[in-house]
Amino acid sequence: MNEQPMPGPIRRTLAAARSHRPELSVIVPAFNEGENVDALIGKLVPVLEGCVSSFEILFVDDGSSDDTLERIERFAALDSRIRALRFSRNFGKEIALAAGLDHAQGEAVALIDADLQHPPEILKTFVARWREGYEMVYGQRVDRSTDGPLRRWLTERFYRLFQRFGETPLPEGAGDFRLMDRKVVLALRKLGERARFSKGLYAWVGFRSIGVPFEVQERLHGTSKWGLHKLTRFAFDGLSSFSTLPLKLATYFGVAISIFAMTYAATMALRTIIWGSDVPGFPTLVVSVMFFSGIQLVFLGIIGEYIGRIFAEVKRRPLYIVAEEIGGEPLDDDEPEAPHPARTTARARQST
Ligand code: UDP
Ligand code: MG
């Protein structure tokens, strides 16, 4: 902008008015959350009405098989500020968030879970911080007592590992509950990765960030959709996309074992020269053959995981497929920055 500098809040509200953009978009990924939709909208709308001039609530229905979509449609028919994208199938929360970011129109965009574990009132603080000039305001969970002990332990291990070996430091306790300025959203749209570890991506794009502590609530209805298996995959996605340590481990092991083998060979040679040779050593042979084949298979597996991810990236499939867009009104001006080519939806492709 080439006008006189003016205070952040006024500038943003003016920008929102000029472009007919809502001041805030709230993205809600929802997978079989039918029971929570009414309560969420009931809490969210008054909070938003109290803290921003205009807003939209954008649900991303991630292939739900219950009545999530019908319930959202009912609200969307009455209120144009509520809209939804329906995925053609379940693509996972991370991808649902990416789709939300691609379609959100607000000057700021907030992400919130549908199960009311993220208290909507905190959005007021998020907005206040954003108006102070922070471009990324993230919720920091103060305790994880709503997770089971195993999940808590594994999560802690994972963060330790990531802190040590990841390329990008992750802020403590920061999750998906956050608010971002449009600038950050445009930056995130340019990242076209398939294996999405959004916590890492948020940290990677940078920007002026601040944490806001909050207490995670119990889920209102239903159970967590993240099984141990999904979480493990997610953890490996995180590590493999932000660190090459697993690949380097192979080199370290290889070097260590080679040094050991050479020392052993030298000792053996000396022994043979001094005391002559004898046949025993069969168990040593078997054990070492098995040990080395094991190590080799493990590292082949790790390399395979990376190749699998590279393969997924080079296939260049769209990240998600929007089957239907529900509610809302199109903006006057078209989105200035197009999403990454790999992230255009199947529908967008057809129309170009
Ligand atoms: N979710 C989703 N797709 C999935 C799994 C979850 O959109 O495949 C949504 C879910 O509806 C909720 C949010 O992601 O709004 C967080 O999911 P959940 O509560 O199951 O995870 P947790 O709170 O245990 O991390
Ligand atoms: Mg939850």
Side-chain angles (χ1 to χ4, degrees):
M1 250 190 304
N2 45 13
E3 296 135 62
Q4 286 289 312
M6 46 185 147
I10 304 175
R11 205 190 62 226
R12 289 202 185 89
T13 312
L14 280 181
R18 256 204 298 274
S19 63
H20 305 291
R21 284 182 191 293
E23 193 177 4
L24 178 66
S25 298
V26 179
I27 300 173
V28 190
F31 177 48
N32 294 340
E33 302 280 6
E35 292 166 303
N36 296 322
V37 169
D38 295 26
L40 179 76
I41 293 180
K43 276 200 157 183
L44 206 51
V45 169
V47 168
L48 296 176
E49 281 174 345
C51 68
V52 287
S53 57
S54 55
F55 64 88
E56 62 169 358
I57 301 177
L58 172 59
F59 283 91
V60 183
D61 176 48
D62 190 9
S64 303
S65 52
D66 67 352
D67 60 347
T68 306
L69 197 74
E70 284 91 88
R71 282 173 190 257
I72 298 170
E73 275 171 333
R74 236 174 281 157
F75 282 101
L78 299 172
D79 189 341
S80 63
R81 298 172 300 183
I82 297 175
R83 53 190 199 108
L85 304 174
R86 175 168 70 85
F87 274 2
S88 57
R89 63 170 171 86
N90 179 256
F91 281 89
K93 178 185 178 185
E94 299 294 313
I95 292 180
L97 289 177
L101 291 178
D102 287 346
H103 290 81
Q105 299 170 334
E107 288 298 324
V109 177
L111 315 177
I112 192 168
D113 278 2
D115 54 8
L116 285 164
Q117 284 195 289
H118 298 158
E121 311 81 68
I122 306 285
L123 287 175
K124 285 185 193 160
T125 322
F126 282 9
V127 169
R129 287 274 177 280
W130 171 60
R131 286 185 175 149
E132 281 166 20
Y134 289 101
E135 292 149 325
M136 168 97 84
V137 188
Y138 53 88
Q140 256 178 324
R141 37 197 313 182
V142 283
D143 75 321
R144 291 188 168 264
S145 55
T146 50
D147 290 346
L150 177 66
R151 180 164 167 185
R152 234 164 31 213
W153 185 80
L154 289 174
T155 310
E156 196 184 314
R157 289 295 89 157
F158 170 74
Y159 277 99
R160 286 270 168 81
L161 206 67
F162 202 94
Q163 229 62 37
R164 261 198 83 167
F165 300 110
E167 290 158 8
T168 316
L170 291 182
E172 185 96 25
D176 289 315
F177 186 30
R178 58 183 65 228
L179 182 145
M180 294 170 263
D181 190 86
R182 194 167 171 77
K183 285 191 272 245
V184 183
V185 175
L186 294 178
L188 283 172
R189 281 187 194 170
K190 297 207 179 102
L191 309 179
E193 328 189 17
R194 235 122 277 271
R196 294 195 77 82
F197 182 67
S198 22
K199 289 182 189 80
L201 301 180
Y202 303 140
W204 185 87
V205 292
F207 288 97
R208 269 189 304 226
S209 312
I210 192 167
V212 173
F214 77 102
E215 254 174 66
V216 179
Q217 311 295 310
E218 287 292 342
R219 216 171 203 288
L220 189 66
H221 291 289
T223 50
S224 171
K225 272 105 198 161
W226 291 85
L228 206 57
H229 179 70
K230 250 188 174 176
L231 275 176
T232 316
R233 279 226 73 77
F234 186 56
F236 196 83
D237 273 347
L239 274 181
S240 61
S241 34
F242 283 90
S243 142
T244 44
L245 174 80
L247 289 176
K248 285 186 200 132
L249 275 181
T251 323
Y252 300 151
F253 266 95
V255 169
I257 290 173
S258 312
I259 292 172
F260 174 76
M262 282 188 284
T263 329
Y264 188 66
T267 344
M268 277 305 156
L270 269 181
R271 260 179 63 169
T272 315
I273 291 165
I274 299 169
W275 288 294
S277 98
D278 48 13
V279 194
F282 186 66
T284 324
L285 209 65
V286 172
V287 166
S288 60
V289 167
M290 288 206 301
F291 178 69
F292 292 118
S293 346
I295 295 255
Q296 278 172 7
L297 284 180
V298 167
F299 285 106
L300 269 181
I302 291 179
I303 293 169
E305 291 280 344
Y306 275 87
I307 293 180
R309 280 164 176 76
I310 295 171
F311 185 51
E313 297 288 348
V314 299
K315 275 190 290 193
R316 283 269 164 265
R317 289 204 182 132
L319 193 56
Y320 52 85
I321 298 172
V322 176
E324 192 184 349
E325 290 189 33
I326 296 138
E329 292 149 6
L331 277 185
D332 295 355
D333 54 342
D334 226 341
E335 294 288 284
E337 253 102 335
H340 188 280
R343 285 179 51 186
T344 46
T345 60
R347 178 189 278 194
R349 287 224 170 138
Q350 279 162 12
S351 62
T352 45

